[in-house]
Amino acid sequence: MSQKNTITGKTVDIVEICPAQELLKLLSGKWKPEIFQLAITSDLRFNKLLRQIEGTNKQSLAIALKELVAAGLLDKVVVRQKPLHITYTLTEKGKSLIPVFRQLEQIAVTL
């Protein structure tokens, strides 16, 4: 993704302007912060998330989970026992973001 620098007039990649922008974009969005917060403390199940996150719906929750899995922050594990169910857990990459997420939470409280 590119953007025109208003000072130099040159087109530069947004990552060059702010490397953290992609991370912030990844963790923002509907329900992602809540999902990430819940994933820190335990494994996640879809229907339980629907009950835990007030105001969510199946479609927006499914999209957020899919994006977090695609980004490598969550693992999707299909448990082939009766009843069949899917569990989401933090990956090592996701776990590495816990201190960053906690710092963001602390800053947000002081604003």
Side-chain angles (χ1 to χ4, degrees):
M1 189 175 207
S2 297
Q3 178 177 345
K4 190 170 188 172
N5 184 319
T6 56
I7 297 170
T8 64
K10 294 181 180 179
T11 301
V12 293
D13 288 338
I14 290 176
V15 175
E16 289 178 27
I17 296 169
C18 180
Q21 188 168 1
E22 283 299 312
L23 174 61
L24 292 172
K25 182 179 173 186
L26 177 65
L27 287 176
S28 66
K30 205 158 193 153
W31 315 123
K32 288 181 189 175
E34 292 91 337
I35 293 168
F36 192 83
Q37 174 69 33
L38 291 168
I40 290 171
T41 57
S42 67
D43 293 348
L44 306 174
R45 302 255 322 253
F46 189 85
N47 286 331
K48 187 175 179 183
L49 283 173
L50 277 175
R51 291 188 300 272
Q52 286 181 303
I53 303 174
E54 189 174 319
T56 190
N57 61 55
K58 288 180 180 183
Q59 183 179 3
S60 62
L61 182 59
I63 290 169
L65 287 167
K66 189 175 188 177
E67 289 175 358
L68 290 169
V69 169
L73 299 181
L74 289 180
D75 269 333
K76 178 179 177 179
V77 179
V78 178
V79 179
R80 300 192 183 278
Q81 296 176 344
K82 291 191 178 187
L84 179 76
H85 62 275
I86 297 171
T87 303
Y88 296 90
T89 58
L90 279 179
T91 62
E92 289 304 313
K93 183 178 177 181
K95 289 176 185 174
S96 73
L97 291 177
I98 293 172
V100 175
F101 192 80
R102 294 285 190 223
Q103 184 107 24
L104 289 171
E105 287 176 326
Q106 288 176 352
I107 293 168
V109 170
T110 61
L111 293 178

